[in-house]
Amino acid sequence: VLSRRRRRAMEEPLISPPKPGFGAVLRHIGPVGFLSFGGTQANLALFHHILVEQLKWVPESVFAELLGIVQSLPGPSAVQLLLTSVTIATGSVLCGLLAILLFMGPAA
């Protein structure tokens, strides 16, 4: 009989997949600024589709928690959610800021 710790160690992958970087953010988040329209709720649905369903960068539970947090904060919820979810997915605040620039840039 294996202990719980040993079973958990056997189930976890030995090599974690590489985190997405600047190129992935440019490729996947770049077009969003040109394609998104319809306000905050439409943008949140688009981010959910891209980040959770399509790319699988952020788990559903984490996205739901972030959505609850940013809805309670003042300011643009879509931008806050994009910043935090891309920063978590990439492990880089610079990638999160790049995602915001790519999202807001075409509207400026």
Side-chain angles (χ1 to χ4, degrees):
V1 177
L2 295 174
S3 67
R4 187 178 300 177
R5 179 181 290 167
R6 186 174 285 171
R7 267 187 274 141
R8 189 178 323 140
M10 291 173 59
E11 293 171 0
E12 293 177 2
L14 296 177
I15 300 174
S16 62
K19 291 190 173 199
F22 285 104
V25 172
L26 280 171
R27 188 170 46 256
H28 298 293
I29 306 298
V32 172
F34 294 100
L35 299 175
S36 63
F37 62 93
T40 302
Q41 298 306 318
N43 291 328
L44 292 175
L46 181 63
F47 294 153
H48 181 272
H49 174 72
I50 292 171
L51 297 171
V52 176
E53 297 172 8
Q54 184 181 354
L55 300 175
K56 297 181 181 7
W57 284 1
V58 180
E60 178 75 36
S61 60
V62 173
F63 189 87
E65 287 183 32
L66 289 175
L67 181 60
I69 292 169
V70 300
Q71 291 283 330
S72 65
L73 296 174
S77 299
V79 173
Q80 293 170 350
L81 184 74
L82 182 64
L83 172 68
T84 54
S85 57
V86 170
T87 300
I88 288 171
T90 61
S92 169
V93 175
L94 293 176
C95 284
L97 293 174
L98 175 64
I100 288 177
L101 289 175
L102 291 171
F103 175 62
M104 296 177 64

